[in-house]
Amino acid sequence: MSLIEILFSKKALISLALIVLISVLLTFFPLIGSLGFEFSVTIAFIASFISVFISAEFVNLDFRERFIRERRFADLVSSIFVLDFLLLAIPFVIGLLSSSIKDDCYIKEGAIFYVLIPVVTVFFSSSLGLLIGSLFSKRGFLFGSFILIAIICYSLWKLYNDPQIFSFNAVFGFFPGPLYDESIPITFTLVVYRLITVCWGLFFLTILGVIRGIKFKVLKAWDLLALFILILILIITEIKEEELGISYTRKYITDNILTGSVETEHFVIYFKPGTTEANSISLIANDHEWRYYQLKEFLQVNLNDKIRSYIYPDNETRKRVIGAGETTIANPIHKEIHLVYDVFPDHLLKHELTHVMSSDFGTRFLRISPKLGLVEGLAVASDWVGDGYTPHQWAEAMIKTNTAPDIREIIGIGFWYAPPAKSYTTMGSFVRYLIDSYGIEKFKTLYRVGDFSVYGKSVDELVSEWKKFLDGIYVPDKLLALAWYKFSQPSIFQGRCPRRIAELADKGIKAYKDENYYEARGYFLDALNLNKSDPVLIAGLAYAYYYNKGYNELIDLINNSQTLPEVDKNILENLRGNVLLQRGRVLEAKSVFESLLGKPLPEDVKREIEIKLNAISSGNDIEKKIREYFSTREKLYQTVILEEIIRDFPDYSPSYYLLGKIFYSKRDYKLAASYLIESESLGLPSESLEMDNLQLLGVSLFATGDYEGAIKRFQFIVDLEPNRVLKEYAIDLIERCEWAGK
């Protein structure tokens, strides 16, 4: 049967119509409708079954029509491959046209993903179809489809059973996990795995050649040698899966990466020896047990099994091993958490432990709620920390600014489609209201079944009650502006070129952290060419300009960014003041800083401004040194500058405070405490600086085992701090000190 005859056969035309229809339908959806990773994965899944069908059906013609000569069979196989890849070319063209119409900027990467995923998948599945169709002439497609489904099910089982949340698969190529890490790079591991998939396709074809060689007595030594080589390659790659980064077992992680461990009453904690975490492991263990104690009381649960906690040295290691870089992961099924422990106390530990401990009342199989919004909402409600404000206050601020998501839309799978900051905070506030109003036991029933009828009320009635409750929550005016700043990032499904922008932003942030500001600004500029109004990218570029001494470019950027939300504009104005200060125009800088004090700003920026104003008022010598301090991010250089200030002006308290913060960030709590005690005794120039000093000093004293000293500082915060959230934070740490002291 010739290629033309196959191409215009009924089966081929139906397959063609099906893949065209699916490809066109995809273009109507965000993210998945442009030539990119998601489009490639979807087409690979569909095309795998179509190519198995075509290969299995048409290879049978060889037997039915008795075309047994090798040349005729080779022609038939070639025709089948040409048809399969021709069908694959059609979605590529449709995706390319869709990307062009939508002005998508991920076309180059999308084309590479298309080659690595659908093209390789079709080669694999076509080869499989040829082999299965030859062996089972009447049920080739049925058996081939069963094998494809089995391959997918095996990957699902691996996701269920193994620690990583990513999966490499011969059918869909790669599953990165249900994460908020928006960048999906083309990695060496992906390329290697797809080459392994090609080897599997060659393996199927070689087996088919050997079978036909035996049947028609034309078997060649080369066929057997090729089969032996392919088997050897596949065995070696299977054995070396961990080294290649394809899959990791818990044993491999604890034997080769996190080789240190400590066991407590409720945890087994794994860490890498020789790291900062290893030096602080008793403190980390204490943190784990305290959060367990709190959640045991709040959730009214007590797990029988110990929780495994994996502490990675950095985000890059966790990304490689687990698949989560910036995102912290909990696994309720296997009762484990995967952390990068930046500073004590870890601000995500309680959130992630909630996921694990709520497995006690989750569904039987996945140990979570069938409603995703309730899963994350409970974690926020249990943790209940805030950057100065509670989730209730943030939720009310979103409602007042008309930026809040609809609770009904984010309770279930829609939670993933909303911007993460909005959906987490909103559901956290709603869940906390349900628990406080109706009790934890009723919520645990809701969590397990996902049906709000347990309250005897509809979702609409409960949402109305919650909103009425929020009406009575105090929300300062500045919080409305801060809400725009905090919740301005769109969902990945809403933005233009989200994958490309995320990739560039990640590279820019990495270069910035490495203090390569010239390279960082290049990445941020490229990203801004794709989205000129993104406040995060503008801020990243602004700071890169500033630390690279690109003051003229920075001022131009600030002048051209006046349409940003108020808080973002104020952050840039602070940098304008910094430029004036670095240029020696001190009075102009002072005027800018003073104008910002009464405006909405993140607390760390406000404290920075207070220190700069104090330095200006203290005189030229101190002002020059503080100016020098704020001209760099290099910690060693900053430390030298501050030590010089202490030597020349021993009564200048902010220098001790800033040094304490540096050592606190390095987790040298003993040294941090010594400087923070000195700044406390000298007195700091503002109430917010004194409160921050008290908080850092209290934690440092706790970390060094001085519980009485820590309680004393936290009690000062309770007595003096008007902010309710900071009071509750201090009360939490007082209770922790008393618990640890026992």
Side-chain angles (χ1 to χ4, degrees):
M1 193 173 190
S2 67
L3 173 61
I4 299 299
E5 291 174 313
I6 293 175
L7 186 60
F8 286 97
S9 65
K10 185 177 180 181
K11 292 173 182 176
L13 292 175
I14 291 174
S15 300
L16 173 66
L18 179 63
I19 203 161
V20 168
L21 176 63
I22 292 171
S23 301
V24 171
L25 288 176
L26 289 179
T27 63
F28 290 95
F29 294 91
L31 194 64
I32 201 173
S34 300
L35 185 64
F37 172 77
E38 292 77 9
F39 183 83
S40 295
V41 169
T42 306
I43 293 299
F45 177 79
I46 302 299
S48 64
F49 288 92
I50 291 177
S51 56
V52 161
F53 170 74
I54 289 174
S55 300
E57 287 297 310
F58 285 114
V59 79
N60 287 332
L61 294 175
D62 175 64
F63 294 99
R64 287 198 292 267
E65 299 178 21
R66 302 185 182 280
F67 292 152
I68 61 174
R69 288 178 298 167
E70 278 305 306
R71 186 174 179 183
R72 295 300 297 272
F73 182 73
D75 291 344
L76 179 64
V77 169
S78 300
S79 298
I80 290 171
F81 270 115
V82 169
L83 175 58
D84 284 339
F85 284 110
L86 183 62
L87 291 176
L88 195 60
I90 294 170
F92 178 80
V93 172
I94 293 172
L96 187 61
L97 288 173
S98 176
S99 293
S100 301
I101 293 169
K102 295 175 181 178
D103 194 24
D104 188 70
C105 46
Y106 203 59
I107 292 177
K108 182 180 76 173
E109 292 82 356
I112 296 173
F113 272 124
Y114 201 83
V115 172
L116 286 174
I117 299 177
V119 170
V120 172
T121 292
V122 164
F123 176 74
F124 170 86
S125 53
S126 295
S127 302
L128 175 65
L130 287 169
L131 175 61
I132 298 299
S134 298
L135 294 176
F136 306 98
S137 59
K138 294 183 179 179
R139 292 185 173 83
F141 173 60
L142 177 64
F143 290 150
S145 298
F146 177 80
I147 292 172
L148 293 180
I149 293 170
I151 291 170
I152 295 171
C153 289
Y154 176 72
S155 288
L156 293 175
W157 179 83
K158 292 272 285 182
L159 284 172
Y160 180 85
N161 188 66
D162 289 345
Q164 72 267 4
I165 57 169
F166 65 85
S167 175
F168 290 94
N169 183 275
V171 177
F172 52 73
F174 175 62
F175 173 67
L179 291 180
Y180 297 108
D181 291 350
E182 295 184 358
S183 174
I184 302 180
I186 298 166
T187 63
F188 172 77
T189 303
L190 175 60
V191 174
V192 168
Y193 183 79
R194 296 311 275 168
L195 289 175
I196 294 170
T197 306
V198 170
C199 288
W200 274 105
L202 293 172
F203 174 67
F204 297 146
L205 292 177
T206 305
I207 290 178
L208 178 58
V210 169
I211 292 173
R212 289 184 60 82
I214 294 172
K215 181 176 181 180
F216 299 111
K217 299 179 181 180
V218 291
L219 182 63
K220 301 173 184 176
W222 164 249
D223 294 330
L224 295 175
L225 179 61
L227 184 62
F228 173 77
I229 292 172
L230 286 167
I231 291 173
L232 189 62
I233 290 172
L234 294 173
I235 290 174
I236 291 172
T237 54
E238 179 68 24
I239 294 171
K240 298 291 184 180
E241 269 196 339
E242 288 93 351
E243 285 86 347
L244 294 171
I246 295 169
S247 178
Y248 293 93
T249 62
R250 292 175 182 85
K251 187 176 187 306
Y252 182 87
I253 294 172
T254 56
D255 285 351
N256 298 277
I257 302 171
L258 306 178
T259 56
S261 67
V262 62
E263 191 165 347
T264 69
E265 183 180 355
H266 299 103
F267 295 89
V268 179
I269 303 172
Y270 302 97
F271 57 92
K272 185 176 181 179
T275 60
T276 307
E277 293 78 23
N279 298 332
S280 307
I281 196 61
S282 61
L283 192 62
I284 292 173
N286 177 290
D287 200 13
H288 280 63
E289 286 293 343
W290 167 245
R291 293 309 187 191
Y292 183 96
Y293 170 78
Q294 286 184 310
L295 290 171
K296 175 184 174 182
E297 297 297 314
F298 182 76
L299 299 174
Q300 294 295 297
V301 297
N302 191 17
L303 302 184
N304 295 322
D305 302 323
K306 289 193 176 185
I307 299 169
R308 286 176 290 194
S309 178
Y310 298 83
I311 312 293
Y312 297 89
D314 49 56
N315 287 339
E316 289 73 21
T317 303
R318 183 172 61 181
K319 178 72 172 178
R320 174 171 59 88
V321 175
I322 300 300
E326 300 297 327
T327 310
T328 301
I329 289 296
N331 187 328
I333 300 169
H334 299 287
K335 297 182 175 61
E336 62 191 33
I337 54 177
H338 299 266
L339 304 171
V340 174
Y341 207 97
D342 288 326
V343 67
F344 173 84
D346 188 271
H347 66 289
L348 293 172
L349 174 59
K350 193 175 182 182
H351 181 107
E352 301 305 331
L353 273 182
T354 300
H355 290 316
V356 173
M357 296 181 70
S358 61
S359 66
D360 189 64
F361 49 85
T363 56
R364 183 175 181 181
F365 183 65
L366 294 177
R367 300 295 181 187
I368 59 174
S369 173
K371 301 292 185 182
L372 181 61
L374 297 180
V375 174
E376 296 298 349
L378 177 60
V380 174
S382 300
D383 193 5
W384 206 244
V385 293
D387 42 1
Y389 302 95
T390 67
H392 283 331
Q393 289 175 301
W394 286 118
E396 177 63 5
M398 280 191 281
I399 290 173
K400 286 187 174 181
T401 55
N402 295 316
T403 58
D406 189 330
I407 287 283
R408 290 162 288 255
E409 293 179 359
I410 62 172
I411 286 174
I413 196 68
F415 184 90
W416 267 330
Y417 293 91
K422 290 183 180 182
S423 53
Y424 273 79
T425 304
T426 304
M427 283 305 304
S429 173
F430 182 58
V431 168
R432 184 65 180 237
Y433 168 77
L434 293 177
I435 293 172
D436 290 344
S437 300
Y438 297 97
I440 188 64
E441 292 303 324
K442 188 160 285 190
F443 178 80
K444 284 159 76 171
T445 303
L446 166 67
Y447 189 87
R448 183 174 61 256
V449 301
D451 187 351
F452 283 86
S453 64
V454 300
Y455 290 104
K457 298 178 180 180
S458 67
V459 176
D460 289 343
E461 289 175 307
L462 291 169
V463 169
S464 296
E465 287 181 10
W466 167 68
K467 287 184 176 180
K468 186 176 180 180
F469 163 76
L470 290 182
D471 284 339
I473 297 291
Y474 170 67
V475 176
D477 291 338
K478 68 176 181 178
L479 191 62
L480 302 181
L482 288 170
W484 277 104
Y485 170 71
K486 183 178 175 70
F487 303 111
S488 61
Q489 281 297 95
S491 164
I492 189 173
F493 296 97
Q494 298 170 347
R496 173 178 172 258
C497 303
R499 296 295 188 198
R500 178 62 177 159
I501 291 173
E503 180 183 342
L504 290 169
D506 283 354
K507 290 179 179 178
I509 291 168
K510 184 180 186 305
Y512 181 83
K513 288 179 178 178
D514 293 339
E515 299 181 25
N516 188 342
Y517 304 116
Y518 181 82
E519 188 174 293
R521 74 177 190 170
Y523 287 123
F524 288 129
L525 278 170
D526 288 344
L528 280 168
N529 285 333
L530 305 173
N531 185 352
K532 298 183 184 300
S533 61
D534 189 322
V536 175
L537 297 176
I538 292 172
L541 178 60
Y543 277 99
Y545 276 147
Y546 176 70
Y547 288 115
N548 198 51
K549 305 293 189 290
Y551 297 146
N552 291 332
E553 295 97 328
L554 173 56
I555 294 300
D556 288 341
L557 177 66
I558 294 171
N559 291 336
N560 293 324
S561 302
Q562 295 304 304
T563 57
L564 286 175
E566 185 180 3
V567 176
D568 297 282
K569 241 188 336 185
N570 293 340
I571 290 172
L572 293 184
E573 283 301 310
N574 174 54
L575 287 178
R576 186 198 296 274
N578 280 4
V579 170
L580 293 170
L581 191 64
Q582 297 302 324
R583 286 175 167 171
R585 296 158 64 178
V586 179
L587 292 179
E588 292 176 71
K590 181 182 178 184
S591 176
V592 171
F593 294 143
E594 286 177 338
S595 70
L596 289 171
L597 277 183
K599 295 179 179 179
L601 277 167
E603 287 301 316
D604 59 335
V605 177
K606 187 169 290 185
R607 288 192 291 268
E608 175 192 317
I609 290 172
E610 290 171 340
I611 290 173
K612 288 181 289 194
L613 284 171
N614 178 260
I616 291 171
S617 65
S618 296
N620 287 337
D621 291 333
I622 289 178
E623 179 270 310
K624 287 177 182 176
K625 288 295 182 183
I626 291 297
R627 178 200 310 177
E628 206 176 343
Y629 170 86
F630 282 112
S631 71
T632 180
R633 289 177 60 249
E634 209 282 304
K635 295 301 181 187
L636 181 59
Y637 185 35
Q638 288 182 329
T639 301
V640 171
I641 294 168
L642 294 172
E643 289 287 7
E644 288 176 354
I645 297 175
I646 290 172
R647 182 194 63 204
D648 298 334
F649 305 95
D651 293 333
Y652 185 67
S653 60
S655 57
Y656 297 96
Y657 164 75
L658 292 171
L659 263 176
K661 283 178 72 76
I662 288 175
F663 289 115
Y664 183 89
S665 68
K666 298 292 185 183
R667 286 180 269 184
D668 189 336
Y669 299 110
K670 186 175 181 179
L671 203 49
S674 67
Y675 284 104
L676 294 169
I677 287 172
E678 193 65 31
S679 57
E680 178 188 53
S681 65
L682 290 170
L684 287 158
S686 75
E687 185 177 321
S688 63
L689 288 170
E690 287 185 341
M691 286 298 151
D692 192 50
N693 194 88
L694 280 171
Q695 179 179 318
L696 297 173
L697 177 55
V699 172
S700 298
L701 291 172
F702 176 90
T704 57
D706 184 358
Y707 302 132
E708 290 186 9
I711 290 173
K712 177 182 175 183
R713 271 66 181 195
F714 295 134
Q715 191 60 53
F716 282 152
I717 296 175
V718 173
D719 295 338
L720 301 174
E721 174 60 57
N723 187 294
R724 179 184 169 188
V725 172
L726 293 180
K727 279 181 182 286
E728 291 179 353
Y729 175 81
I731 291 170
D732 175 85
L733 283 159
I734 289 172
E735 292 173 353
R736 182 196 287 251
C737 290
E738 293 171 344
W739 172 82
K742 295 176 183 178

